[in-house]
């Protein structure tokens, strides 16, 4: 089993709709969580950190469920420019500051 | 700062040749990561360094792969001999001390390796 797993998608989303997807992690020592965005043929870039209490950044909402060991990302009012691959990332300090990524979830927003 | 700098951006080589990928992390960052990305396997962590010391190389696929970080501003990933299945995009990323909630990993633009 992979340490960090995501549904690869693609999630086909009508413009203006809401989309949500999860990321599960297996290492219970994981302590920091992030969502990255990767555009085609580009490097991943940080979208947002995920805090224990959940957090919002504009149209994006991230949640953490430690009991079930998953994080989620919700995108409201989807824009065409939201089309990308979303990667979750997990820091596990007990493993020597290891930063592990999921395989990514591809989102396609269509007019 | 110029960000994480990787070279070359593209590399095409013949099977059996040695390939060396280079990375310059952001100044002041003390953790450096090498990842490999393919459609089939996603973004895989190969090896990472903390303060120039390799911490975990369990992701290195086999002995043909080796990585070094001789100083805080330079790292190499070497494949010898290269094989077609090594074809992928190789990313280098750096961070400050990873013990904080807001420790963002900054990626280089990647090296697209094709082994024919």
């Amino acid at each position: 089993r992979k340490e960090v797993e995501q549904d690869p998608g693609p999630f086909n989303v009508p413009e203006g709709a809401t989309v949500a997807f999860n990321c599960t992690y297996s290492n219970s020592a994981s302590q920091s969580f992030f969502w990255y965005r990767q555009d085609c043929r580009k490097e991943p870039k940080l979208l947002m950190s995920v805090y224990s209490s959940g957090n919002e950044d504009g149209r994006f909402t991230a949640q953490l469920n430690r009991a079930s060991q998953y994080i989620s990302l919700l995108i409201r009012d989807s824009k065409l420019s939201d089309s990308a691959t979303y990667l979750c990332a997990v820091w596990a300090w007990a493993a020597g500051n290891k930063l592990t990524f999921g395989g990514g979830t591809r989102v396609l927003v269509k007019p | 700062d110029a960000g994480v700098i990787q070279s070359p951006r593209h590399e095409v080589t013949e099977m059996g040749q040695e390939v060396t990928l280079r990375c310059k992390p952001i100044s002041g960052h003390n953790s450096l990561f090498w990842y490999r990305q393919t459609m089939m396997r996603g973004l895989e962590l190969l090896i990472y360094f903390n303060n120039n010391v390799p911490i975990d190389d369990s992701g290195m696929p086999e002995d043909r792969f080796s990585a070094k970080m001789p100083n805080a501003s330079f790292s190499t990933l070497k494949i010898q001999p290269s094989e077609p299945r090594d074809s992928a995009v190789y990313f280098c990323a750096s961070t400050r001390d990873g013990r904080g909630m807001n420790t963002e990993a900054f990626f280089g633009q990647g090296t697209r390796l094709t082994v024919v």
Side-chain angles (χ1 to χ4, degrees), chain A:
Chain A
R1 182 188 173 190
K2 289 186 176 180
E3 289 185 47
V4 182
E5 293 197 85
Q6 296 182 248
D7 182 337
F11 285 63
N12 294 300
V13 184
E15 191 176 9
T18 296
V19 62
F21 41 88
N22 295 336
C23 164
T24 59
Y25 60 95
S26 60
N27 187 348
S28 58
S30 301
Q31 290 165 294
S32 297
F33 308 88
F34 304 86
W35 283 104
Y36 281 73
R37 171 189 169 131
Q38 185 175 25
D39 293 302
C40 188
R41 303 180 79 84
K42 298 285 189 180
E43 72 273 24
K45 292 184 179 179
L46 181 67
L47 177 67
M48 59 194 301
S49 303
V50 185
Y51 302 135
S52 297
S53 55
N55 50 297
E56 274 189 24
D57 184 359
R59 298 179 293 105
F60 297 82
T61 300
Q63 296 280 352
L64 168 63
N65 186 316
R66 284 193 184 274
S68 300
Q69 295 189 193
Y70 73 87
I71 63 173
S72 63
L73 182 66
L74 182 145
I75 308 173
R76 286 186 301 278
D77 187 23
S78 298
K79 311 292 185 190
L80 297 177
S81 58
D82 294 333
S83 297
T85 297
Y86 293 85
L87 301 158
C88 63
V90 175
W91 277 104
W93 303 338
N97 291 358
K98 185 175 180 179
L99 180 60
T100 304
F101 283 80
T105 296
R106 191 171 173 212
V107 173
L108 297 173
V109 182
K110 301 187 174 180

Side-chain angles (χ1 to χ4, degrees), chain B residues 70-108:
Chain B
N71 56 61
S73 59
F74 184 65
S75 177
T76 60
L77 178 67
K78 186 176 293 186
I79 309 172
Q80 166 64 19
S82 58
E83 297 182 4
R85 60 195 168 113
D86 301 331
S87 298
V89 180
Y90 291 80
F91 286 106
C92 174
S94 72
T95 73
R96 287 195 300 268
D97 185 351
R99 295 180 184 274
M101 273 295 292
N102 296 317
T103 304
E104 178 179 355
F106 293 85
F107 283 77

Side-chain angles (χ1 to χ4, degrees), chain B residues 19-76:
Chain B
V19 175
T20 299
L21 312 181
R22 298 173 176 80
C23 176
K24 182 182 188 309
I26 293 173
S27 177
H29 283 193
N30 61 352
S31 291
L32 183 141
F33 302 79
W34 281 102
Y35 293 91
R36 176 174 69 175
Q37 188 172 40
T38 60
M39 287 291 292
M40 291 297 295
R41 302 173 70 91
L43 195 63
E44 301 175 278
L45 177 62
L46 300 178
I47 184 172
Y48 67 101
F49 297 83
N50 188 254
N51 294 322
N52 312 338
V53 176
I55 303 299
D56 186 342
D57 64 354
S58 60
M60 298 284 259
E62 47 197 278
D63 291 345
R64 297 184 297 107
F65 286 69
S66 62
K68 294 182 179 179
M69 191 165 186
N71 56 61
S73 59
F74 184 65
S75 177
T76 60

